[in-house]
Amino acid sequence: MAKLALVPTPIGNLEDITLRAIRYLKEADIIFAEDTRVTQKLLKHLGIQQKVISFHAHNEHRFLEKSVQIVEDSELAVLVSDAGTPAISDPGFLLVRACLQKNISIECLPGPSALIPAIVGSGFPCDKFIFEGFLPHKKGRQTRLKELSTEERTIIFYESPHKLVKTLAHFSEYFGEERAVSVSRELTKLFEETKRGTISEVLSYYTNKPPKGEIVIVVAGKK
């Protein structure tokens, strides 16, 4: 019986991959990858040779029907993203939904995701939180920020380094410059850094020290 397995991959440190994830990668008939070059590098590190095909944000719509057929023709198909858990701000949702509509078995392995260490390390309440991922670039951005300004739960965002300062400036405008924030970048990597403080303080820090790497922003809920 055909099965699609979503396999998380390390967000930085390659030691974070699970034994079960390694086994699934070894046993897979086919691996769908966001960037085949990134995945091939991981497979080479693990000593695994498997067929890898591209499945990313720019081709998932037109390639969806063919991808489902490939899964149906396989005993085990694996979906990975470049880092972390597939479908979390990465391609995957469409394929999972389409496979479920075809009664194909879905299995999601637990594993790395940048949002969890970011919120746990922030020091903010993490019993209840909301994950926003990437904010809209233009249309709907102000509306969403206004809606979130009264949110009492901890809020988690993903952001690119070249947009961090602009986003923190928007947070200062809509959430208030004294709202507590925690910015983590390059989690699990050699130059991992977490900067905590008020939005004003963290904005000043990154204005004077342009950031690099993958970024997770954790904002304290409104008191």
Side-chain angles (χ1 to χ4, degrees):
M1 185 176 178
K3 178 168 70 175
L4 174 67
L6 281 68
V7 175
T9 55
I11 60 174
N13 193 319
L14 296 182
E15 293 181 356
D16 291 336
I17 194 164
T18 68
L19 296 174
R20 188 173 169 213
I22 294 172
R23 177 168 64 84
Y24 273 54
L25 291 172
K26 288 180 178 179
E27 295 177 354
D29 300 304
I30 190 74
I31 298 174
F32 294 98
E34 184 180 2
D35 186 328
T36 56
R37 296 166 298 181
V38 173
T39 299
Q40 289 287 11
K41 184 177 179 180
L42 173 64
L43 294 178
K44 184 177 180 181
H45 172 78
L46 297 171
I48 298 173
Q49 291 185 335
Q50 289 288 18
K51 183 178 180 181
V52 180
I53 56 177
S54 180
F55 188 85
H56 51 72
H58 302 294
N59 75 354
E60 63 176 333
H61 284 87
R62 59 183 170 83
F63 193 46
L64 183 60
E65 186 175 342
K66 183 178 179 181
S67 298
V68 174
Q69 185 60 56
I70 291 172
V71 175
E72 284 186 305
D73 294 338
S74 308
E75 288 188 18
L76 175 62
V78 163
L79 173 67
V80 299
S81 60
D82 289 348
T85 300
I88 303 297
S89 291
D90 279 325
F93 157 69
L94 291 177
L95 183 57
V96 170
R97 184 177 64 180
C99 286
L100 287 173
Q101 290 170 347
K102 293 279 190 176
N103 293 318
I104 295 172
S105 176
I106 301 293
E107 187 172 4
C108 185
L109 277 62
S113 181
L115 68 95
I116 298 302
I119 186 174
V120 173
S122 70
F124 302 152
C126 47
D127 55 334
K128 295 179 181 179
F129 61 88
I130 63 170
F131 174 63
E132 283 291 309
F134 290 95
L135 282 166
H137 294 312
K138 294 181 180 179
K139 186 177 180 181
R141 187 180 181 93
Q142 291 184 350
T143 300
R144 189 60 187 144
L145 286 171
K146 287 179 182 178
E147 293 171 347
L148 291 170
S149 65
T150 58
E151 175 59 59
E152 296 181 352
R153 294 167 294 181
T154 302
I155 316 168
I156 306 171
F157 303 88
Y158 284 166
E159 191 53 279
S160 58
H162 65 281
K163 293 180 179 177
L164 175 62
V165 169
K166 179 181 178 180
T167 295
L168 288 173
H170 285 160
F171 287 176
S172 179
E173 178 182 352
Y174 289 94
F175 301 158
E177 61 180 20
E178 294 304 308
R179 182 80 70 93
V181 68
S182 174
V183 175
S184 296
R185 65 178 192 87
E186 295 290 82
L187 285 167
T188 79
K189 299 179 182 178
L190 183 62
F191 297 105
E192 176 179 340
E193 175 188 58
T194 294
K195 185 66 178 177
R196 306 172 184 87
T198 65
I199 291 176
S200 177
E201 292 169 340
V202 177
L203 173 58
S204 177
Y205 176 82
Y206 282 114
T207 298
N208 295 311
K209 184 181 178 182
K212 297 179 181 180
E214 303 295 325
I215 290 171
V216 186
I217 310 172
V218 184
V219 180
K222 183 178 180 179
K223 295 182 179 179

